[in-house]
């Protein structure tokens, strides 16, 4: 055999050994389907379509909302479902404004939280209004039924078809419930069968909103403040009108068997079938329905199955079943369930709230610094169209973002932090001073652009987001302050991602410095792609932005203004945001790799991990992967801490207030994409996993990070 032939056979053998069979997508998903066998209030299961979600208890419906209120609540929420209480004092948002001087050469007007008088009243009102609505509970109607009456329960979420199936016994009678959500409409379909001797019935109960900061949005004690009226009815259809002050929406019921709809009490309706089966659909609409044409349950089931098969097969996939590390199975479970949870409630035409469409946190509003954690994974996992759907919201609220910049004396547009679908900035003593939400649009649009496959698709992205990126960068450049005596630019007058620091004292936090440096470079690239010249000022800032400050022990500080970072218990009990300066972003001239690695080692051994948040663990994992410490990347994702707990339904649990925390789920998926597919310039496969023979991670369709 010649040398050339021997070399060829060797190469072919290597290819054979490393070429994996295609991942069995259905097997991957279904082996991670959650199964619940007890009345566990933290194990609620949900179906949804990205902009509408319906969360069920052990019955496959919402039979026990009061019992589940302090667990994972039984929410029915839509991106359009908002409500505001009356404003009898005629508060104006301007009454919450306060003037500050952070040394930018002009005074700045911020929407804050004053402590007294009308200013406090205005801030309180605008923080809690509008708030997101719970649209209504649909549960089994059995007189006197209690959670303890549910015997031998067995409930499963089939993520491949989008179906929740529940079986259980009540007083010796067998029940079977199947529930699905329409992939494009705010509509659920359910089929209940039983050998119960009496009628099969469901109830529709409508709560009054609480306007609370973090709760299930259900006030069951205020029936006199809202009403549910029957608009029309036939033998198999009814339309209900919901009126809560100035808020009006509609509920359309259709059923297939003989059944009667009756009002049991105010805001409490019962649909009772004549026999032992009830098949129905319930749709929630923000305007009066043009048609009440019934869609058969079987049709909705098929539409759901088609939709989810497409989602799971067209997106990326990661298979951990060949790994020998005993932690791999749990990591795979978290990865699969996180995709489900984010796809059903964080892929709408407006940004998601931190608890998605499951229950309210921060009054149901969304936080724009969290959109990256919620949705950066989408283009990395080949679901860019879902991110594009949300990012278009930025264009609709651009006038408000421009007004924020103007009243603070800056050029360009400053993106709001805590807001609702209107884009109005909610007053905040913290949020109004954050800036790390500002470059998110640039980063997310870049991920979208990179994920597009054709020049025509990329050109659409440039046209759609190019002007917004330009205006975003104009603010960023204007916000940076030039220090002539040191010939550098600094960032000041901010509360950084590590929120324990004060705006009046803080300058040069590391995460924000790295983000400014990275995003301004991207903004220049976008100008060049659009045939525009680079902006000289932006290049000057890129070249002269302050490097990260370090202490005498070669550890990067929480901010240059905080030299005692590592002796301050407040600071080492917050986000370890310094590690986000490398990981989320590539290495840059602002950072010494050895100092960053030393910083990570100290943080790993000494940080108060019990006080961190769900997205901190994937942030540390990404930092570890870029620094070449894959053992820490895996260990960070699976660190045994309360805020890194993933419930049976996949939700990232934080504490008694935040039993769901979807930024943790999204961060996990972004970290996994990076740990598998790497980043620009990385030639190693699976750079975030140890090469110890225990992590044979196989994947398809992932895109690398910048």
């Amino acid at each position: 055999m010649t040398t050339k032939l021997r070399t060829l056979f060797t190469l072919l053998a290597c290819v054979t050994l490393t070429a994996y069979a295609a991942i069995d997508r259905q097997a991957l998903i279904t082996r991670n389907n959650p199964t619940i066998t007890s009345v566990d209030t933290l194990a609620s299961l949900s179906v949804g379509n990205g902009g509408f979600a319906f969360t069920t208890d052990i019955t496959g419906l919402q039979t026990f909302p009061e019992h589940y209120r302090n667990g994972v609540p039984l929410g029915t929420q839509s991106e359009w479902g908002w409500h505001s209480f009356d404003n009898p004092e005629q508060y104006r948002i301007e009454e919450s404004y306060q003037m500050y001087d952070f040394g930018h050469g002009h005074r700045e007007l911020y929407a804050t939280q004053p402590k007294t008088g009308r200013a406090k009243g205005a801030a309180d009102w605008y923080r809690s209004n509008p708030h997101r609505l719970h649209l209504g509970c649909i549960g089994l109607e059995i007189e006197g039924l209690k959670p303890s009456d549910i015997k031998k329960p067995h409930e499963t979420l089939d993520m491949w078809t989008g179906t929740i199936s529940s079986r259980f016994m009540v007083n010796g009678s067998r029940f079977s419930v199947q529930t699905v959500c329409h992939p494009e409409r705010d509509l659920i379909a359910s089929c209940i069968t039983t050998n119960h001797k009496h009628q099969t019935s469901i109830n529709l109960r409508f709560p009054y909103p609480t306007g609370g900061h973090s709760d299930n949005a259900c006030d069951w004690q205020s029936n006199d403040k809202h009403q549910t009226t029957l608009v029309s009815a036939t033998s198999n259809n009814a339309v209900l009108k919901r009126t809560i002050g100035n808020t009006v929406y509609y509920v359309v019921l259709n059923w297939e068997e003989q059944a009667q709809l009756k009002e049991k009490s105010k805001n409490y309706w019962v649909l009772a079938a004549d026999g032992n089966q009830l098949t129905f659909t319930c749709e929630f609409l923000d305007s009066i329905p043009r048609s009440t044409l019934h869609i058969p349950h079987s049709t909705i089931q098929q539409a759901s199955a088609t939709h989810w098969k497409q989602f799971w097969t067209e997106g990326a996939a990661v298979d951990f079943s060949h790994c020998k590390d005993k932690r791999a199975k749990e990591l795979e479970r978290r990865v699969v369930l996180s995709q489900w949870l984010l796809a059903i409630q964080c892929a709408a035409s407006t940004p998601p709230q931190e608890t998605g469409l499951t229950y309210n946190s921060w009054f149901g509003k969304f936080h724009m610094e969290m959109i990256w954690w919620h949705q950066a994974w989408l283009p990395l996992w080949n679901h860019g169209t879902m991110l594009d759907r949300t990012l278009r919201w930025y264009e609709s609220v651009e006038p408000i973002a421009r007004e924020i910049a103007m009243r603070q004396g800056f050029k360009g547009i400053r993106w709001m932090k805590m807001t609702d679908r209107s884009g109005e900035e909610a007053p905040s003593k913290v949020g109004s001073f954050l800036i790390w939400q500002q470059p998110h649009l640039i980063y997310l649009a870049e991920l979208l652009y990179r994920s597009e496959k054709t020049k025509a698709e990329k050109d659409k992205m440039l046209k759609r987001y190019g002007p917004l990126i330009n205006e975003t960068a104009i603010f960023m450049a204007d916000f940076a302050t030039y220090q002539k005596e040191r010939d550098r630019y600094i960032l000041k007058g901010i509360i950084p991602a590590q929120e324990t620091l004060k705006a009046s004292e803080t300058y040069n936090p590391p995460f924000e410095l790295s983000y400014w440096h990275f995003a301004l470079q991207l903004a220049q690239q976008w100008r060049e792609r659009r045939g525009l010249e680079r902006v000289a000022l932006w290049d000057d800032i890129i070249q002269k932005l302050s490097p990260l400050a370090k202490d005498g022990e070669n550890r990067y500080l929480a901010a240059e203004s905080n030299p005692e970072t590592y002796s301050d218990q407040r600071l080492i009990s917050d986000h370890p945001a310094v590690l986000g300066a490398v990981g989320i972003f590539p290495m840059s001239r602002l950072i010494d790799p050895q100092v960053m690695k030393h910083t990570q080692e100290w943080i790993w051994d000494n940080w108060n991990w019990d006080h961190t948040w769900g997205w901190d663990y994937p942030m540390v994992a990404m930092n570890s992967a870029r620094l070449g410490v894959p053992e820490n990347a895996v260990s960070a994702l699976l660190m045994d801490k309360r805020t890194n707990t993933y419930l049976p339904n996949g939700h990232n649990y934080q504490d008694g207030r935040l039993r769901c925390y979807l930024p943790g789920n999204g961060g996990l998926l972004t970290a996994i994409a990076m740990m598998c597919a790497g980043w620009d310039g990385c030639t190693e496969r699976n750079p975030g996993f140890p090469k110890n023979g225990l992590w044979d991670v196989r994947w398809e369709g992932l895109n690398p990070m910048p």
Side-chain angles (χ1 to χ4, degrees):
M1 183 183 292
T2 66
T3 302
K4 286 185 177 180
L5 281 174
R6 188 179 295 111
T7 302
L8 178 60
F9 282 128
T10 301
L11 288 172
L12 287 172
C14 290
V15 169
T16 302
L17 288 171
T18 57
Y20 301 131
I23 295 172
D24 185 336
R25 301 295 183 95
Q26 186 171 1
L28 168 65
I29 304 311
T30 55
R31 68 173 173 253
N32 289 287
N33 285 340
T35 296
I36 313 302
T37 56
S38 65
V39 184
D40 182 351
T41 62
L42 288 174
S44 314
L45 301 178
S46 303
V47 290
N49 57 28
F52 169 81
F54 181 83
T55 300
T56 73
D57 58 27
I58 195 64
T59 67
L61 293 169
Q62 299 168 324
T63 307
F64 306 114
E66 294 93 339
H67 185 70
Y68 278 72
R69 69 183 183 278
N70 293 322
V72 175
L74 311 182
T76 304
Q77 294 193 339
S78 171
E79 62 173 320
W80 53 260
W82 295 83
H83 168 264
S84 291
F85 292 125
D86 292 340
N87 183 7
E89 300 297 327
Q90 298 297 305
Y91 290 124
R92 294 174 294 107
I93 185 65
E94 294 81 7
E95 294 180 86
S96 72
Y97 293 169
Q98 288 187 298
M99 194 72 74
Y100 293 82
D101 187 348
F102 293 127
H104 290 118
H106 49 78
R107 302 180 77 190
E108 304 165 33
L109 200 58
Y110 288 82
T112 63
Q113 291 176 268
K115 296 181 179 180
T116 59
R118 277 189 63 85
K120 180 182 186 304
D124 290 346
W125 194 89
Y126 279 96
R127 276 180 65 77
S128 60
N129 291 284
H131 41 261
R132 206 179 295 259
L133 278 174
H134 189 304
L135 299 176
C137 281
I138 305 172
L140 285 178
E141 176 71 9
I142 300 176
E143 193 68 32
L145 183 65
K146 305 182 297 298
S148 59
D149 295 329
I150 304 296
K151 306 298 182 183
K152 298 181 180 180
H154 187 279
E155 183 181 35
T156 299
L157 167 62
D158 182 352
M159 294 181 286
W160 188 255
T161 64
T163 305
I164 294 174
S165 299
S166 181
R167 304 192 309 271
F168 52 92
M169 303 282 291
V170 176
N171 298 327
S173 297
R174 295 188 301 273
F175 283 82
S176 174
V177 181
Q178 283 196 331
T179 300
V180 296
C181 178
H182 194 285
E184 296 177 353
R185 298 167 65 167
D186 296 357
L187 180 154
I188 66 108
S190 190
C191 179
I192 307 165
T193 58
T194 179
N195 64 348
H196 195 273
K197 296 178 182 179
H198 305 290
Q199 291 176 319
T200 303
S201 304
I202 60 165
N203 56 51
L204 287 86
R205 300 172 59 201
F206 298 100
Y208 188 67
T210 64
H213 181 281
S214 300
D215 63 11
N216 66 350
C218 293
D219 176 358
W220 299 107
Q221 309 304 317
S222 300
N223 271 327
D224 58 325
K225 297 180 180 179
H226 62 120
Q227 59 182 340
T228 308
T229 54
L230 184 64
V231 175
S232 63
T234 69
S235 60
N236 289 88
N237 165 272
V239 178
L240 300 173
K241 179 181 179 181
R242 295 278 298 129
T243 304
I244 313 171
N246 293 323
T247 300
V248 175
Y249 64 95
Y250 296 84
V251 181
V252 179
L253 272 173
N254 282 283
W255 54 93
E256 298 181 9
E257 295 81 17
Q258 291 295 312
Q260 294 78 41
L261 179 68
K262 295 182 179 180
E263 185 177 18
K264 182 174 181 178
S265 60
K266 190 170 185 182
N267 302 307
Y268 190 141
W269 294 72
V270 173
L271 178 64
D274 291 346
N276 60 3
Q277 179 167 310
L278 178 59
T279 307
F280 71 92
T281 65
C282 184
E283 184 169 17
F284 299 86
L285 298 161
D286 61 350
S287 59
I288 192 163
R290 296 180 180 179
S291 170
T292 59
L293 185 66
H294 175 55
I295 306 175
H297 182 273
S298 58
T299 301
I300 298 169
Q301 278 187 312
Q302 184 57 53
S304 175
T306 300
H307 170 80
W308 287 109
K309 180 180 179 180
Q310 183 178 13
F311 173 82
W312 294 117
T313 54
E314 292 186 356
V318 183
D319 180 356
F320 291 88
S321 65
H322 302 276
C323 299
K324 297 178 181 178
D325 191 298
K326 63 182 181 181
R327 299 171 294 173
K329 184 176 182 180
E330 170 60 13
L331 189 54
E332 182 182 272
R333 184 187 77 88
R334 296 183 182 193
V335 168
V336 173
L337 284 170
S338 292
Q339 291 173 74
W340 170 264
L341 290 171
L342 292 160
I344 67 171
Q345 56 193 327
C346 295
S349 60
T350 58
Q353 67 165 317
E354 297 190 29
T355 44
L357 297 169
T358 302
Y359 75 100
N360 282 358
S361 55
W362 286 274
F363 311 101
K365 290 182 165 66
F366 28 88
H367 290 188
M368 296 312 298
E369 86 279 21
M370 286 294 108
I371 189 173
W372 193 93
W373 295 103
H374 281 290
Q375 295 185 297
W377 71 279
L378 287 166
L380 299 175
W381 286 72
N382 204 31
H383 293 300
T385 54
M386 296 169 73
L387 173 61
D388 185 34
R389 187 186 310 159
T390 305
L391 286 194
R392 299 186 192 195
W393 173 84
Y394 277 92
E395 185 175 10
S396 70
V397 300
E398 182 270 344
I400 298 175
R402 185 174 298 278
E403 187 276 330
I404 294 172
M406 287 179 61
R407 67 172 155 84
Q408 294 172 0
F410 296 107
K411 301 174 183 176
I413 52 182
R414 180 172 187 169
W415 298 111
M416 57 292 296
K417 189 271 193 192
M418 177 177 166
T419 186
D420 56 79
R421 61 178 179 162
S422 73
E424 187 65 62
E425 182 183 34
S428 173
K429 61 185 177 183
V430 173
S432 296
F433 301 96
L434 297 182
I435 60 169
W436 65 292
Q437 75 274 16
Q438 182 68 16
H440 281 345
L441 173 65
I442 300 176
Y443 199 146
L444 294 173
E446 175 68 11
L447 293 179
L448 265 181
Y449 177 86
R450 291 159 57 102
S451 72
E452 297 293 358
K453 302 300 188 291
T454 68
K455 183 180 184 301
E457 291 169 334
K458 289 180 181 292
D459 287 345
K460 285 182 181 180
M461 293 296 106
L462 293 176
K463 183 178 181 180
R464 181 172 297 154
Y465 297 113
L468 287 179
I469 286 174
N470 202 66
E471 293 298 308
T472 300
I474 287 172
F475 169 85
M476 293 173 65
D478 201 34
F479 190 84
T481 301
Y482 180 63
Q483 276 190 335
K484 185 176 182 180
E485 64 276 13
R486 297 185 62 177
D487 190 26
R488 68 170 186 168
Y489 288 89
I490 67 170
L491 298 178
K492 64 178 181 178
I494 55 176
I495 294 178
Q498 197 160 1
E499 294 183 4
T500 48
L501 300 177
K502 297 180 180 179
S504 59
E505 303 170 356
T506 301
Y507 61 92
N508 282 348
F511 184 96
E512 286 75 7
L513 284 172
S514 284
Y515 213 167
W516 246 238
H517 188 263
F518 173 69
L520 284 175
Q521 291 182 83
L522 287 181
Q524 293 283 47
Q525 291 178 29
W526 273 67
R527 287 184 63 85
E528 290 175 328
R529 290 167 183 165
R530 296 169 64 210
L532 302 174
E533 293 183 358
R534 294 175 70 92
V535 177
L537 173 61
W538 300 1
D539 278 336
D540 196 47
I541 295 172
I542 292 167
Q543 292 300 317
K544 297 179 180 179
L545 194 63
S546 301
L548 273 60
K550 59 185 179 181
D551 66 7
E553 297 186 34
N554 268 350
R555 298 170 299 191
Y556 283 128
L557 301 173
E560 186 176 333
S561 49
N562 290 83
E564 305 302 323
T565 292
Y566 296 97
S567 60
D568 189 334
Q569 289 298 312
R570 295 177 307 119
L571 293 180
I572 64 171
S573 300
D574 194 0
H575 304 295
V578 60
L579 299 185
V582 172
I584 296 172
F585 321 116
M587 192 68 71
S588 74
R589 69 161 190 85
L590 306 185
I591 298 159
D592 181 323
Q594 293 306 313
V595 176
M596 179 57 73
K597 193 167 184 178
H598 180 59
T599 303
Q600 196 227 51
E601 290 170 352
W602 190 96
I603 288 174
W604 187 266
D605 293 335
N606 298 282
W607 206 259
N608 291 333
W609 293 106
D610 291 325
H611 296 273
T612 50
W613 291 66
W615 56 266
D616 290 328
Y617 304 98
M619 179 178 68
V620 173
M622 288 185 276
N623 175 271
S624 300
R626 295 239 198 204
L627 294 178
V629 193
E631 295 81 5
N632 282 8
V634 172
S635 295
L637 293 182
L638 293 162
M639 192 180 293
D640 187 15
K641 298 295 178 183
R642 185 194 72 245
T643 52
N644 200 35
T645 299
Y646 282 71
L647 299 172
N649 50 27
H651 276 296
N652 178 208
Y653 179 91
Q654 301 298 285
D655 55 26
R657 182 182 67 166
L658 290 172
R659 288 89 68 193
C660 305
Y661 191 64
L662 291 166
N665 297 90
L668 168 68
L669 296 179
T670 301
I672 289 294
M674 172 204 261
M675 291 164 65
C676 290
W679 50 88
D680 291 350
C682 175
T683 58
E684 179 184 353
R685 183 178 175 85
N686 294 343
F689 292 95
K691 304 304 182 287
N692 55 10
L694 302 179
W695 288 96
D696 180 8
V697 182
R698 305 184 183 185
W699 55 270
E700 300 167 349
L702 293 171
N703 294 313
M705 286 183 70

